[in-house]
Amino acid sequence: MSSENTSYTQLRTLMREAGTLGSVNALLAWDQETFMPSGGADARAEQRSMIATMVHERRTSARVGELIVACEHDASLPETERANVREMRRDYDLLTKLPASLVGEIASTATKAQEAWKDARQNSDFATFRPWLEKMMELARQKAACYGTPAGGEPYDALLEEYEPGARAAELEKVFTPLASELSALIAKIGASGKTERLAIKPPSIDASKQHAFGQFLLTSMGFDMNSGRLDTTAHPFCEGLGPGDTRLTTRYREDEFGGAMYGTLHEMGHGLYEQGLPKMERYGEPLGEAISLGIHESQSRMWENLVGRSRAFWMWAQPNASKMMSAWFGTQSVDALYSMSNVVKPSYIRVEADEATYNLHILLRFTLERALLKGDLSVAELPGAWNSMFETLFGLRVPDDRRGCLQDVHWSCALIGYFPTYSLGNLYAAQFFETARAAMPDLDVRFARGDFAPLLGWLRTNIHQHGRRYRAGELCERVTGKKLDSGALLRYLKGKAAEVYGV
Ligand code: ZN
């Protein structure tokens, strides 16, 4: 790999160009969500669509295909670079397997299906959404057929490839099912303790500007580089890794509920720390400079939000600072009270409002049902009934209407079938990684209590961030933790907390 003009260097140059154009599009998207006046919407859609087409053409050109083949035959490439080529091949195949006509039909159907979904949810009227969901499922089946079912797998696996490369539905089921049955039992015990009302103390109203200043303080204290990132306000919080040295976070503030913004900021920060830890400058546009999967990305956000941000050690450090910067009320509360307040477990109908323990039950429900819909084992007409009966089994609650049942999420209307499992994978990976980090650094809690988060971030940088997509998620998990992903670490963590907070 000595001369400047090998196939591999040419390929890397083309990937860097596509990555650069992709960053331009990401910046346009970020601006649209944050500062763009609404009058700019039509032109912005045209701009983004044009650049997206240019990126797609660059990444799927015949030249890129030829160079990948040449690199696959280049025995002189070191192992790391071969992993880069392996992932470029994967991306190229995924991008070129779908005919443009199907991509277009999915996009235009999704636009209309989302409109129908909004009205249907508002009116809790499943019948008007039903034909659109049938259409989206049919398109998902066509998409899965184009990608091809992996050997020994099922069509759902093909859809998983877009979000969680290498994941298989049957394997997920083996991890999710025991997790759900243990969690259902734990949640029932927590409910029976009758302590939730007392633990759910209500903080006072806090100015958004004070919450924002505290959020920025958390970011800098935990290692987010503000010279390479920023925090703004949007209706729907997100993290956008625009490119090397530029990671944008957003959050939203409610004065009567500081926890939403604080935990939202910690969540997006976790995504942002991962983005900042990827070797993006050297690997701009290449797989080795990118995140492995949505599940691994989510493991980073959930770790900082939950395993760190909802710990007692976090509150030992955060309490005096919150008291100084947000409200003297924090100083009047014990660390135990703040810790309990952040870990209240209460079954509810809505996934996005769910606590750490019940969240995974929401995901198991969606994963099971969308998999059955795709297979054809469940018809769309049967969905509300199947949802409500499974919900009652898992949560012990009767769903009052479809608005709070099967119509609550946007995903199925915008073709995101196979996406839900990544949320639970995030929780599972986070717990398994964190358990390993804690075993390697037994003083982590003592450090957190002093506001020292650098050892954890350093560990994540070394073990996870720096590799980009060198390993697949399952392989990374085995390398880092010494075993395959299972539900053990997450259950130990949630049960330990329930014992401390609820005494169950
Ligand atoms: Zn997230």
Side-chain angles (χ1 to χ4, degrees):
M1 207 183 60
S2 50
S3 86
E4 282 92 62
N5 226 4
T6 62
S7 297
Y8 189 57
T9 44
Q10 288 178 55
L11 185 56
R12 289 186 68 190
T13 303
L14 292 179
M15 291 292 121
R16 197 175 182 94
E17 285 176 12
T20 306
L21 261 181
S23 290
V24 173
N25 216 3
L27 178 59
L28 290 175
W30 174 84
D31 174 71
Q32 182 175 345
E33 296 296 321
T34 49
F35 296 116
M36 186 191 80
S38 59
D42 289 348
R44 182 56 51 87
E46 204 172 319
Q47 292 156 3
R48 286 181 59 190
S49 151
M50 184 173 168
I51 297 188
T53 304
M54 290 165 74
V55 172
H56 186 81
E57 282 168 2
R58 274 165 197 266
R59 296 187 61 170
T60 57
S61 71
R63 182 70 188 136
V64 167
E66 289 159 17
L67 289 169
I68 290 175
V69 172
C71 292
E72 285 170 336
H73 290 99
D74 182 353
S76 72
L77 286 178
E79 204 192 321
T80 320
E81 309 307 322
R82 297 186 76 81
N84 209 18
V85 174
R86 176 200 73 211
E87 293 299 300
M88 287 180 192
R89 156 65 66 199
R90 181 192 165 271
D91 295 349
Y92 186 80
D93 285 350
L94 269 193
L95 287 169
T96 51
K97 274 179 179 170
L98 295 187
S101 57
L102 181 59
V103 174
E105 196 184 350
I106 291 173
S108 65
T109 310
T111 306
K112 292 177 219 155
Q114 270 182 77
E115 286 308 308
W117 167 74
K118 276 183 204 157
D119 290 342
R121 180 175 71 158
Q122 177 131 36
N123 304 322
S124 201
D125 177 14
F126 183 75
T128 56
F129 182 56
R130 181 181 151 185
W132 291 103
L133 185 53
E134 282 166 349
K135 184 78 189 151
M136 291 315 292
M137 278 296 157
E138 180 45 39
L139 290 170
R141 275 181 215 112
Q142 289 180 29
K143 193 197 223 181
C146 293
Y147 284 154
T149 300
E154 59 186 73
Y156 191 88
D157 297 338
L159 300 180
L160 279 171
E161 279 296 311
E162 280 189 23
Y163 316 113
E164 201 62 26
R168 298 287 175 262
E171 295 294 317
L172 295 179
E173 186 186 348
K174 275 189 219 153
V175 180
F176 288 178
T177 306
L179 174 68
S181 63
E182 295 233 28
L183 284 179
S184 277
L186 181 67
I187 288 156
K189 266 202 262 176
I190 287 173
S193 77
K195 290 186 180 161
T196 293
E197 291 300 312
R198 185 160 54 77
L199 297 177
I201 48 175
K202 187 107 183 79
S205 178
I206 299 168
D207 283 356
S209 61
K210 288 183 175 174
Q211 293 188 43
H212 185 70
F214 188 66
Q216 299 235 353
F217 167 73
L218 291 178
L219 295 181
T220 47
S221 304
M222 292 178 151
F224 184 80
D225 179 3
M226 293 300 274
N227 292 318
S228 298
R230 37 180 305 131
L231 174 67
D232 294 279
T233 309
T234 46
H236 300 287
F238 62 86
C239 163
E240 180 65 67
L242 283 184
D246 194 350
T247 301
R248 313 280 175 108
L249 312 178
T250 70
T251 193
R252 65 178 157 209
Y253 301 102
R254 268 185 48 187
E255 302 204 332
D256 61 346
E257 209 250 306
F258 85 96
M262 187 180 86
Y263 285 111
T265 301
L266 290 180
H267 180 98
E268 300 309 333
M269 180 197 75
H271 285 304
L273 289 172
Y274 187 17
E275 290 289 325
Q276 289 190 335
L278 292 165
K280 285 197 187 179
M281 188 50 101
E282 316 86 86
R283 298 292 189 173
Y284 200 5
E286 298 173 44
L288 289 182
E290 294 176 340
I292 298 176
S293 67
L294 292 183
I296 296 294
H297 226 308
E298 198 66 8
S299 77
Q300 303 303 290
S301 58
R302 304 269 169 156
M303 188 182 297
W304 290 95
E305 174 193 357
N306 294 332
L307 290 107
V308 177
R310 296 182 200 275
S311 68
R312 181 186 269 117
F314 168 82
W315 276 114
M316 286 169 74
W317 166 74
Q319 185 210 28
N321 291 300
S323 178
K324 236 181 294 164
M325 298 180 72
M326 287 203 289
S327 164
W329 174 84
F330 289 95
T332 68
Q333 301 298 311
S334 69
V335 165
D336 271 347
L338 296 170
Y339 171 58
S340 297
M341 171 191 78
S342 323
N343 288 290
V344 164
V345 173
K346 196 175 179 197
S348 65
Y349 301 108
I350 307 293
R351 174 184 62 85
V352 296
E353 294 166 3
D355 57 74
E356 218 184 344
T358 54
Y359 194 91
N360 300 293
L361 298 179
H362 288 277
I363 299 306
L364 176 85
L365 171 75
R366 286 154 179 78
F367 163 67
T368 307
L369 296 177
E370 67 179 10
R371 189 178 170 205
L373 285 168
L374 193 77
K375 263 191 197 158
D377 290 352
L378 181 72
S379 74
V380 170
E382 292 164 332
L383 176 67
W387 180 291
N388 296 350
S389 92
M390 191 169 173
F391 192 91
E392 196 168 345
T393 307
L394 290 170
F395 292 81
L397 291 174
R398 186 163 294 231
V399 179
D401 48 38
D402 292 336
R403 187 169 60 83
R404 283 173 282 184
C406 66
L407 284 176
Q408 65 183 272
D409 295 303
V410 70
H411 301 61
W412 289 337
S413 69
C414 47
L416 293 174
I417 295 151
Y419 189 107
F420 282 121
T422 65
Y423 296 117
S424 273
L425 284 171
N427 289 328
L428 289 156
Y429 281 127
Q432 198 160 322
F433 289 146
F434 196 72
E435 196 172 71
T436 307
R438 180 168 265 160
M441 299 174 286
D443 64 341
L444 267 190
D445 281 322
V446 180
R447 303 283 204 126
F448 292 169
R450 291 203 301 253
D452 180 7
F453 301 94
L456 178 63
L457 181 56
W459 188 90
L460 294 171
R461 291 263 188 268
T462 306
N463 288 287
I464 297 168
H465 302 173
Q466 65 159 335
H467 299 305
R469 288 166 59 190
R470 178 163 180 188
Y471 309 108
R472 290 280 165 85
E475 194 186 351
L476 179 83
C477 178
E478 283 197 63
R479 284 183 65 94
V480 173
T481 71
K483 54 187 180 201
K484 281 190 158 165
L485 182 71
D486 65 42
S487 57
L490 182 58
L491 281 168
R492 280 189 288 280
Y493 161 71
L494 291 172
K495 285 179 180 174
K497 234 181 207 181
E500 284 184 6
V501 174
Y502 282 92
V504 299

mmCIF file of all heavy atoms in Angstrom, residues 267 271 298 301, ligand 1:
data_model
loop_
_atom_site.group_PDB
_atom_site.id
_atom_site.type_symbol
_atom_site.label_atom_id
_atom_site.label_comp_id
_atom_site.label_asym_id
_atom_site.label_seq_id
_atom_site.Cartn_x
_atom_site.Cartn_y
_atom_site.Cartn_z
ATOM 1 N N HIS A 267 -28.741 12.591 27.296
ATOM 2 C CA HIS A 267 -28.938 11.575 26.253
ATOM 3 C C HIS A 267 -28.237 11.999 24.954
ATOM 4 O O HIS A 267 -27.416 11.254 24.411
ATOM 5 C CB HIS A 267 -30.438 11.363 26.019
ATOM 6 C CG HIS A 267 -30.747 10.342 24.981
ATOM 7 N ND1 HIS A 267 -31.066 9.039 25.292
ATOM 8 C CD2 HIS A 267 -30.764 10.404 23.626
ATOM 9 C CE1 HIS A 267 -31.268 8.367 24.176
ATOM 10 N NE2 HIS A 267 -31.099 9.171 23.146
ATOM 11 N N HIS A 271 -24.744 10.585 22.657
ATOM 12 C CA HIS A 271 -24.574 10.431 21.202
ATOM 13 C C HIS A 271 -23.404 11.308 20.730
ATOM 14 O O HIS A 271 -22.588 10.897 19.920
ATOM 15 C CB HIS A 271 -25.841 10.871 20.467
ATOM 16 C CG HIS A 271 -26.987 9.908 20.544
ATOM 17 N ND1 HIS A 271 -26.874 8.596 20.142
ATOM 18 C CD2 HIS A 271 -28.280 10.068 20.942
ATOM 19 C CE1 HIS A 271 -28.061 7.987 20.297
ATOM 20 N NE2 HIS A 271 -28.930 8.856 20.783
ATOM 21 N N GLU A 298 -27.123 4.185 20.464
ATOM 22 C CA GLU A 298 -28.071 4.366 21.564
ATOM 23 C C GLU A 298 -27.463 3.882 22.891
ATOM 24 O O GLU A 298 -27.815 4.389 23.953
ATOM 25 C CB GLU A 298 -29.370 3.621 21.226
ATOM 26 C CG GLU A 298 -30.580 4.038 22.023
ATOM 27 C CD GLU A 298 -31.074 5.478 21.773
ATOM 28 O OE1 GLU A 298 -30.562 6.142 20.851
ATOM 29 O OE2 GLU A 298 -31.946 5.924 22.517
ATOM 30 N N SER A 301 -25.814 6.940 24.364
ATOM 31 C CA SER A 301 -26.725 7.952 24.912
ATOM 32 C C SER A 301 -27.380 7.463 26.196
ATOM 33 O O SER A 301 -27.481 8.189 27.180
ATOM 34 C CB SER A 301 -27.781 8.327 23.880
ATOM 35 O OG SER A 301 -28.512 7.198 23.467
HETATM 36 ZN ZN ZN B 1 -30.980 8.411 21.164
#
